[in-house]
Amino acid sequence: MYPNIKDNKRKVYSAMVTAMDDVVGAVVDELQKQNMWNNTVTIFSTDNGGQTLNGGNNWPLRGRKASLWEGGVRGVGLVHGAGIVDKGRTSRELMHVSDWFPTLLHVANTTTSGTKPLDSHNVWDAISSKNGHSPRTELLHNIDPEFTRPFGPTPPMTPYPNKHGVDTLKGHTALRWLNWKLYTGDPGYSSIDPPPTLYRNQTVDTSCLVSDGYHPDCKEPLKAPEPLPSVRLFDITADPSENVDVAKYFPLIVDEMLGKIAAYNKTAVPIAWPGGDKNCDPALQDNVWGPWK
């Protein structure tokens, strides 16, 4: 498929998306055939940004899957069906994937009564109505004290002394608060990769994009990297591509958000990576990937 796309990875990716689109269409056709479509809410949503090493693309956003930049964490989605008052529009209200749970319970006319305390929100008003707003004002993208770049060394960084005791050199963290997004540590792969039109017209060499020039196959001359700031602040509403670090201009915002990160750290549980279990092999479960205990 798609012989007009010269880049093979982008060509394969496009064909995979088409195959998925065909299957989604088949499900919609069957719902309509069974007279269930008008009483169905359909949600189509991503779980992370595109992986540019395998044909994905996040242009004009920075980063990719496995990074904390907007290209790695900003998701797109589509909601269709009963209860949508204002149709055919785009909502940019703040939402986290965990918000689907209380939102869908609301759509199903039930509540979260009896569940454990949740840090998620019902955002149906923002989805269904152009005048609705999300109650979410804060979103913790990640705290990973063990993060290191998978394809190369972590770049050198300058420490950021702070009264909250946050180690800004260790791993990485990203926190969104209102229009602000704060990073500590190394957010990961930071390039803004070529737009899809370039993939369509030529083969794109991504060997030097794997880890900002650290990839062993990169033929470009390597330069000793300059130390990067270990705390960065961006106004995501005004600067979604994260081009201008404004941390030095808004020290009070930085301090406020570091305090929020410190509060999260106080309640964090120790990291635990359980060992593998050979019984999870799908060959032992009729070749089905699924729960095995």
Side-chain angles (χ1 to χ4, degrees):
M1 299 185 75
Y2 303 110
N4 60 311
I5 300 178
K6 290 184 170 59
D7 186 88
N8 188 63
K9 290 181 178 179
R10 185 69 180 176
K11 182 185 298 185
V12 171
Y13 182 90
S14 300
M16 292 171 66
V17 172
T18 298
M20 178 179 64
D21 190 48
D22 290 343
V23 174
V24 172
V27 172
V28 172
D29 289 343
E30 188 62 25
L31 286 169
Q32 292 174 337
K33 187 184 300 182
Q34 299 295 333
N35 295 318
M36 300 171 64
W37 182 242
N38 292 333
N39 195 34
T40 297
V41 173
T42 304
I43 298 168
F44 193 91
S45 182
T46 184
D47 59 348
N48 47 249
Q51 177 50 274
T52 59
L53 294 175
N54 295 314
N57 193 271
N58 306 304
W59 189 88
L61 301 180
R62 187 176 300 281
R64 63 173 177 229
K65 178 180 178 179
S67 78
L68 294 181
W69 300 101
E70 288 295 282
V73 301
R74 179 179 291 213
V76 295
L78 178 147
V79 183
H80 175 280
I84 303 294
V85 178
D86 298 306
K87 303 178 181 180
R89 63 187 173 84
T90 299
S91 173
R92 300 188 183 280
E93 293 291 307
L94 194 61
M95 180 180 180
H96 185 260
V97 64
S98 63
D99 295 332
W100 282 122
F101 179 55
T103 300
L104 293 177
L105 288 179
H106 170 79
V107 171
N109 197 30
T110 186
T111 69
T112 57
S113 177
T115 66
K116 294 181 178 180
L118 303 175
D119 60 0
S120 50
H121 301 274
N122 172 13
V123 297
W124 184 247
D125 283 346
I127 293 172
S128 63
S129 171
K130 64 181 180 181
N131 297 318
H133 295 286
S134 169
R136 178 177 288 281
T137 58
E138 185 172 317
L139 194 160
L140 178 65
H141 289 294
N142 198 18
I143 295 178
D144 185 355
E146 296 185 357
F147 173 80
T148 56
R149 294 203 183 196
F151 297 103
T154 298
M157 293 177 292
T158 55
Y160 190 97
N162 61 93
K163 66 183 181 183
H164 304 286
V166 176
D167 185 347
T168 62
L169 299 175
K170 188 176 182 181
H172 67 187
T173 296
L175 175 67
R176 174 76 180 267
W177 178 48
L178 303 174
N179 58 303
W180 303 105
K181 185 176 178 184
L182 183 85
Y183 294 98
T184 69
D186 173 29
Y189 175 79
S190 61
S191 293
I192 299 178
D193 289 319
T197 51
L198 193 56
Y199 285 87
R200 188 164 62 242
N201 298 327
Q202 68 185 67
T203 298
V204 179
D205 178 14
T206 59
S207 63
C208 292
L209 299 177
V210 173
S211 190
D212 296 329
Y214 286 112
H215 193 274
D217 295 335
C218 181
K219 300 302 187 293
E220 295 180 359
L222 294 180
K223 299 178 181 178
E226 294 290 331
L228 300 173
S230 62
V231 168
R232 286 177 263 196
L233 180 71
F234 297 90
D235 182 339
I236 295 301
T237 302
D239 180 24
S241 294
E242 300 170 290
N243 289 313
V244 182
D245 177 6
V246 296
K248 65 180 180 181
Y249 302 112
F250 298 95
L252 296 181
I253 297 294
V254 171
D255 182 72
E256 177 79 12
M257 296 184 74
L258 285 174
K260 291 177 179 291
I261 291 173
Y264 280 116
N265 284 334
K266 287 181 179 179
T267 59
V269 298
I271 294 175
W273 292 99
D277 186 345
K278 62 181 180 181
N279 294 320
C280 74
D281 189 342
L284 303 176
Q285 323 295 334
D286 295 326
N287 294 314
V288 174
W289 287 97
W292 67 94
K293 290 184 179 181

